[in-house]
Amino acid sequence: MSDYDAETAFLGEWGRFQQQVFYLLCLTAFPNGFTALSIVFVAGTPTHRCLIPAHLNLSAAWRNSSIPLEEDQIPGALVPSKCSRYKVDAMLGYSDIGLLPGVDVNLSHVPREGCVDGWEYDRSNYISTIVTEWDLVCDDSWKKPLTSSVYFIGFLTGSFITGQLSDRYGRKIVLFLTLAIQAVFSFSQAFAPSWTVFCTLFFVVGLAQISYYVSAFVLGMELLNPRMRTVFSTVGMCMFFGLGYMLLPLLGFFIRDWRKLMLSLSLFGLLFVPVWWLIPESPRWLLSRGRVRDAEAIIRAAAKKNKIEAPPVIFRPLQKELASEKTKAHNICDLLRSPNIRWISITLWLVWNTVTIAYFALSLNTSNLHGNVYFNCFLSALVEMPAYTASWIMFRWYSRRLCLFSTLFTGGLFLLLIQLIPAHLIYFAITLEMIGKFAITTAFAIMYAYTAEVYPTVLRNTAVGTCSMVSRIGSITAPFFIYLSKNALFLLNEVHISHLSCLGSVLAFLVFFSPSIKNTEIDNPTFKGKLQDDIFGTNIILLRCVHFVVQLPDFLLLSFLCLYMFAL
């Protein structure tokens, strides 16, 4: 047991103080669930076609045949064009002299034009979205995935700064400051006058959201005892995230106007105003800054809340060590300075990037699955609940590397099996996709706790924030994989899934050969020395070789993506 855990063991494991911290910090993850994936409904794309103005003097036959038929993604299926119509002047000329389309006139000879009068949208699923309001279709369809990418660029920026800010100024201040920013800017999005303003606000929302999620996660890891720490990191935060995700399709079903939906989602931020007075600063962080008296005051208040008498001196054995440590500032460079931390960081960056690509690609793709969009989204959220429970069970009873290895390998296997399913077995393919998402979600939950346990206190928040930052490269590109699969590159979706499968399996192999940290204290110096010996023993060649191999497909795919977008 680490010195801190030994000195605070008198508080017990599950007193009133721990319960209050556990549930309130988990509650902060609730808005993340519906905000992170609200774009599924806010930017929903209904069936659309070119608008034929009602005042045009067209016969019923020509009005019904005004939209040309084009081949769908499914070979042989013809559907009305979404981005073109027959030229209005030509149709008016044929209509005036009584010629019938397809009978007197060969439609393949009729000239076409774009949707110069706008589009008409199917209103059965959505009353209004940013796509229908600002016509983000056809030539402007690239703006829809870019909207999600801008949000995740905010994630990237927030992940970069939040770790260093909270390591310098404290977990609590950063947590509540970013909560307030997220609530204000989410509310402002509902009144955005243009797509550009919406994206600008969405960037700030993403920045704030990842900042308070990481801060709350680390604060809980540092306030709770080892046993409840595992429950908090694998089940607590993730389960509340999943509950927020499940709420999203329910709200979306009843509120089908995107502005009203954004207003409804932003109001949840008001719930956290009184929480400021109920959650303390991290005593571990205070000790790392040399503020021993402040840390003792928090522990004594916790003991009083648990109705336990605190000893006269709590942290005296640590004061000398902490006094010499408090003047040293830590930043992102410390993750690469020592060899053992460097290679663990590189490995985790690869794992985080791959899992994030898979998770968000599968989650954002629910609106494109066959069937009801609201039910598919709810099903995707529902799958996460047993996944988080499984992550806790695995994290509790099995080694950390076995947990990551098994979930990454299983996710890759089921995503790969989708390629073998015939096109007409749609529901079977969806079932395999949901099983794959179950495994990926489990890995997502495990890697947060795994990362937090590897690093020492002074680097923990920076490490988790940096891993989250690196993973955003994947989440930024994930929306464009979906976009490209729907625009002349139908096979790209299969290539993308196969790539995730292969990359996930290779990373699973890498994680399996990484050092195990099961039942090891997060601040144990003995473990840190052992970690260095393990990595620079038999595994160093494997780490370097696999690091090169797994980065190559990412580089090639991202290069192809950039070239294709430039060609557009």
Side-chain angles (χ1 to χ4, degrees):
M1 182 176 290
S2 67
D3 292 335
Y4 177 86
D5 291 330
E7 297 295 342
T8 58
F10 67 90
L11 288 175
E13 291 189 342
W14 193 236
R16 184 182 173 188
F17 171 76
Q18 289 90 349
Q19 294 173 21
Q20 178 175 299
V21 167
F22 183 94
Y23 289 114
L24 289 178
L25 286 178
C26 286
L27 187 62
T28 62
F30 187 76
N32 282 64
F34 51 72
T35 304
L37 296 165
S38 62
I39 199 69
V40 172
F41 301 115
V42 171
T45 304
T47 303
H48 54 278
R49 52 184 283 180
C50 291
L51 176 66
I52 305 298
H55 67 272
L56 292 179
N57 189 24
L58 284 174
S59 65
W62 276 104
R63 188 173 289 275
N64 293 333
S65 302
S66 59
I67 306 298
L69 297 179
E70 296 178 346
E71 187 173 347
D72 196 12
Q73 290 181 342
I74 302 176
L78 295 178
V79 296
S81 173
K82 298 178 180 179
C83 301
S84 65
R85 67 184 185 186
Y86 293 118
K87 201 166 185 178
V88 170
D89 292 341
M91 290 192 294
L92 285 173
Y94 294 132
S95 179
D96 289 342
I97 61 178
L99 299 180
L100 296 176
V103 178
D104 303 312
V105 179
N106 187 343
L107 291 177
S108 62
H109 296 159
V110 180
R112 302 184 184 187
E113 63 182 358
C115 301
V116 294
D117 294 308
W119 291 261
E120 57 178 330
Y121 298 93
D122 178 19
R123 305 289 179 176
S124 59
N125 278 332
Y126 311 105
I127 295 176
S128 174
T129 69
I130 63 171
V131 172
T132 63
E133 182 163 335
W134 295 315
D135 291 330
L136 306 183
V137 293
C138 299
D139 291 342
D140 287 334
S141 60
W142 57 271
K143 292 182 178 180
K144 176 183 174 179
L146 183 59
T147 304
S148 299
S149 295
V150 167
Y151 172 76
F152 289 121
I153 291 172
F155 261 49
L156 176 65
T157 308
S159 300
F160 180 76
I161 65 175
T162 184
Q164 299 184 63
L165 287 177
S166 60
D167 281 343
R168 183 176 296 272
Y169 300 107
R171 286 46 165 143
K172 181 178 178 179
I173 290 179
V174 174
L175 168 62
F176 285 94
L177 177 62
T178 51
L179 270 171
I181 293 174
Q182 191 267 344
V184 171
F185 280 82
S186 291
F187 182 82
S188 302
Q189 277 185 286
F191 304 96
S194 65
W195 174 77
T196 304
V197 174
F198 180 89
C199 285
T200 303
L201 297 172
F202 212 21
F203 169 84
V204 180
V205 170
L207 185 153
Q209 191 170 42
I210 193 61
S211 297
Y212 78 72
Y213 186 87
V214 171
S215 297
F217 179 85
V218 174
L219 183 57
M221 292 289 288
E222 295 180 351
L223 282 171
L224 298 171
N225 56 73
R227 183 185 172 197
M228 295 312 302
R229 190 183 299 145
T230 301
V231 180
F232 172 79
S233 59
T234 55
V235 178
M237 290 285 285
C238 296
M239 194 71 77
F240 275 76
F241 176 91
L243 290 173
Y245 187 8
M246 291 176 65
L247 178 66
L248 174 63
L250 297 178
L251 286 177
F253 180 80
F254 292 105
I255 306 175
R256 304 200 178 192
D257 179 271
W258 76 270
R259 292 186 184 274
K260 294 179 181 178
L261 180 61
M262 291 300 300
L263 281 174
S264 302
L265 296 179
S266 65
L267 293 178
F268 282 90
L270 298 176
L271 297 176
F272 300 105
V273 173
V275 178
W276 168 267
W277 291 275
L278 301 176
I279 295 180
E281 181 57 90
S282 167
R284 286 180 183 266
W285 177 80
L286 292 171
L287 289 172
S288 71
R289 307 300 291 180
R291 296 167 58 181
V292 180
R293 291 184 179 179
D294 293 336
E296 282 197 355
I298 291 174
I299 298 301
R300 293 186 186 282
K304 183 178 180 181
K305 185 165 291 186
N306 287 353
K307 298 181 180 179
I308 296 173
E309 184 176 352
V313 178
I314 300 176
F315 296 118
R316 184 178 297 276
L318 297 176
Q319 290 179 9
K320 184 176 180 181
E321 175 185 348
L322 293 169
S324 62
E325 191 178 302
K326 65 180 180 180
T327 58
K328 182 180 179 181
H330 296 274
N331 53 47
I332 191 173
C333 296
D334 292 302
L335 300 179
L336 299 172
R337 185 164 289 124
S338 62
N340 58 326
I341 297 295
R342 181 191 308 131
W343 285 108
I344 280 294
S345 297
I346 291 173
T347 305
L348 288 176
W349 291 345
L350 290 171
V351 172
W352 277 69
N353 190 47
T354 303
V355 174
T356 304
I357 292 175
Y359 177 81
F360 283 105
L362 293 173
S363 298
L364 294 174
N365 194 50
T366 54
S367 60
N368 299 319
L369 297 178
H370 181 77
N372 184 277
V373 60
Y374 300 99
F375 177 76
N376 288 337
C377 184
F378 182 81
L379 182 62
S380 178
L382 187 63
V383 164
E384 297 194 5
M385 307 310 285
Y388 296 137
T389 304
S391 69
W392 171 73
I393 295 173
M394 295 176 69
F395 212 75
R396 180 72 175 83
W397 298 106
Y398 301 100
S399 70
R400 281 33 172 168
R401 60 183 178 183
L402 180 60
C403 293
L404 270 180
F405 172 80
S406 59
T407 52
L408 285 172
F409 183 80
T410 303
L413 176 63
F414 278 94
L415 292 178
L416 186 61
L417 288 176
I418 295 177
Q419 312 312 309
L420 307 178
I421 304 302
H424 65 279
L425 297 179
I426 297 174
Y427 292 105
F428 186 51
I430 291 177
T431 301
L432 290 180
E433 182 172 333
M434 291 302 166
I435 296 175
K437 190 188 178 186
F438 169 87
I440 293 298
T441 303
T442 305
F444 209 122
I446 289 173
M447 69 182 185
Y448 260 99
Y450 183 90
T451 303
E453 286 193 349
V454 168
Y455 294 94
T457 299
V458 292
L459 285 177
R460 187 172 301 120
N461 211 67
T462 298
V464 175
T466 304
C467 285
S468 180
M469 175 192 70
V470 172
S471 71
R472 297 313 148 196
I473 298 174
S475 60
I476 289 169
T477 59
F480 280 97
F481 282 113
I482 300 172
Y483 168 74
L484 293 176
S485 69
K486 296 173 62 181
N487 291 269
L489 286 176
F490 180 64
L491 292 178
L492 184 63
N493 194 37
E494 297 182 358
V495 173
H496 168 52
I497 293 178
S498 299
H499 165 245
L500 290 179
S501 305
C502 297
L503 192 56
S505 299
V506 172
L507 285 174
F509 184 70
L510 174 61
V511 169
F512 186 75
F513 282 94
S514 65
S516 177
I517 58 173
K518 183 177 184 291
N519 297 326
T520 306
E521 297 301 330
I522 57 180
D523 292 324
N524 189 343
T526 303
F527 162 67
K528 296 165 194 171
K530 179 180 181 297
L531 186 63
Q532 183 173 359
D533 294 338
D534 285 344
I535 293 179
F536 280 85
T538 58
N539 292 335
I540 188 65
I541 297 177
L542 176 67
L543 280 167
R544 289 177 175 173
C545 292
V546 176
H547 171 60
F548 173 76
V549 171
V550 298
Q551 281 224 352
L552 186 59
D554 264 341
F555 173 77
L556 293 177
L557 272 178
L558 290 176
S559 299
F560 173 77
L561 178 65
C562 294
L563 288 174
Y564 180 80
M565 292 308 300
F566 179 77
L568 290 179

